[in-house]
Amino acid sequence: MEMTLFIIFALICIVSSLFVVLARSPIRCAISLIINFFSMGAIYVIMNAEFVALMQVLVYAGAIMVLFLFIIMLLDVKRNPKENVFYRNNFFGVIAIVILFFIVVFSAATVAYKTEMMQGLKSLEWMFFDGSNTKAIGHILFNKYLLPFEITSLLLLVAAIGIIVLGKKKV
Amino acid sequence: MIPLQYYLVLSGILFSIGIIGVLYRRNALIILMSVELMLNSANLSFVAFSRFLGNLDGQVYVFFVMVVAAAEVVVGLAIIVNLFRHVRSISADRANILKW
């Protein structure tokens, strides 16, 4: 049952990511990417990582893709259809990417590990604290990773200031 | 129970498709979307290893990757809007003033 669901969502991920890369219009790419993010969220739920699935849907599909759609609407790219095509005369590039693809997939498929390292296979209690994955991640995030957490808040502040400066008409 | 290799193969496939998008498309928005695809595949690898090694640190790293990806997308889109204001086109070929 788990395997069936995983195969379905993995196929949806792969097909929608191919649509992202191959579609002609940016709107179709954005919608395919939203479908991709939702199916990745489903795969995270299959892995019992509920907080990550929640963040994926809220942040990626909910905030970043909405921003993309706003910019696509603002820029009105349909006027110049020549931009939306592939490079067609790069045969060696295609060969290089196919080789890279096979290297990556082959090395991922033949991962060998010692079974005593795979502690997560024994039980799932380590993933939940008081019955909730979010609380467990909160425990680690605010104790062990407090400094990176505060630094990412600074990063977001810097990014916000940066876009305000970049978006001004008169500098 | 799904073995670890299945998740890693899916992550590798999505990463390769993202690389195709970055290298072969000329539309700057679609290049940025392909970069997001690659970041997502890395997130999937992180969570898969966290699940199988019995360590929640991988999922905390995913949190940080998502924050950085959000900041990067926002700044990248501001740059694309600026490019559009100057050359009226978002094709990556038109951003060639610094070319020798």
Side-chain angles (χ1 to χ4, degrees):
Chain A
M1 185 60 197
E2 221 178 64
M3 181 61 82
T4 320
L5 281 176
F6 173 72
I7 298 280
I8 292 174
F9 286 118
L11 282 175
I12 295 177
C13 271
I14 295 176
V15 167
S16 61
S17 61
L18 280 172
F19 267 106
V20 169
V21 164
L22 296 174
R24 290 203 160 245
S25 146
I27 286 280
R28 289 194 189 156
C29 294
I31 302 289
S32 309
L33 198 56
I34 292 178
I35 295 175
N36 191 35
F37 289 156
F38 270 104
S39 47
M40 295 264 300
I43 291 180
Y44 288 139
V45 170
I46 292 176
M47 275 199 266
N48 295 106
E50 287 128 10
F51 178 69
V52 176
L54 189 70
M55 287 265 302
Q56 169 96 2
V57 173
L58 276 180
V59 172
Y60 267 120
I64 294 180
M65 291 318 296
V66 168
L67 195 57
F68 262 112
L69 287 171
F70 266 114
I71 300 290
I72 291 174
M73 172 185 81
L74 200 65
L75 293 186
D76 192 17
V77 267
K78 274 245 166 228
R79 262 183 228 151
N80 197 355
K82 267 194 287 186
E83 294 163 353
N84 294 331
V85 292
F86 259 42
Y87 280 119
R88 282 188 201 278
N89 45 4
N90 246 341
F91 184 60
F92 293 109
V94 173
I95 293 184
I97 285 187
V98 166
I99 292 178
L100 169 74
F101 174 82
F102 278 112
I103 289 176
V104 165
V105 170
F106 178 75
S107 59
T110 56
V111 156
Y113 45 79
K114 303 184 196 170
T115 30
E116 57 263 16
M117 267 174 63
M118 294 288 155
Q119 303 292 323
L121 290 174
K122 291 187 184 153
S123 69
L124 275 181
E125 269 95 35
W126 60 270
M127 230 172 172
F128 300 96
F129 178 80
D130 201 9
S132 154
N133 189 24
T134 311
K135 280 187 190 176
I137 291 186
H139 243 251
I140 296 185
L141 188 62
F142 290 106
N143 283 321
K144 187 172 164 192
Y145 291 101
L146 183 61
L147 182 64
F149 184 75
E150 302 296 335
I151 291 178
T152 49
S153 72
L154 252 181
L155 174 82
L156 286 174
L157 176 69
V158 167
I161 294 177
I163 38 169
I164 290 175
V165 167
L166 277 174
K168 282 168 68 153
K169 293 219 164 158
K170 289 187 195 167
V171 177
Chain B
M1 187 54 134
I2 300 170
L4 173 65
Q5 287 89 349
Y6 285 43
Y7 293 116
L8 295 183
V9 164
L10 176 64
S11 164
I13 291 175
L14 291 177
F15 190 79
S16 315
I17 293 175
I19 284 191
I20 293 176
V22 169
L23 293 179
Y24 275 93
R25 297 298 301 249
R26 280 185 265 174
N27 197 343
L29 284 170
I30 298 181
I31 293 177
L32 209 51
M33 284 192 229
S34 308
V35 170
E36 286 306 303
L37 203 49
M38 289 200 277
L39 282 168
N40 254 328
S41 79
N43 279 352
L44 182 61
S45 277
F46 266 126
V47 177
F49 273 116
S50 145
R51 168 92 170 82
F52 282 88
L53 286 174
N55 197 356
L56 265 182
D57 290 359
Q59 302 187 13
V60 175
Y61 293 157
V62 166
F63 174 84
F64 291 126
V65 167
M66 278 185 192
V67 169
V68 169
E72 159 219 337
V73 159
V74 148
V75 173
L77 285 175
I79 291 176
I80 289 176
V81 165
N82 256 335
L83 177 72
F84 183 78
R85 274 191 202 151
H86 283 290
V87 295
R88 298 312 278 180
S89 152
I90 56 173
S91 169
D93 287 341
R94 292 297 308 271
N96 58 356
I97 299 180
L98 282 177
K99 230 172 149 176
W100 54 281

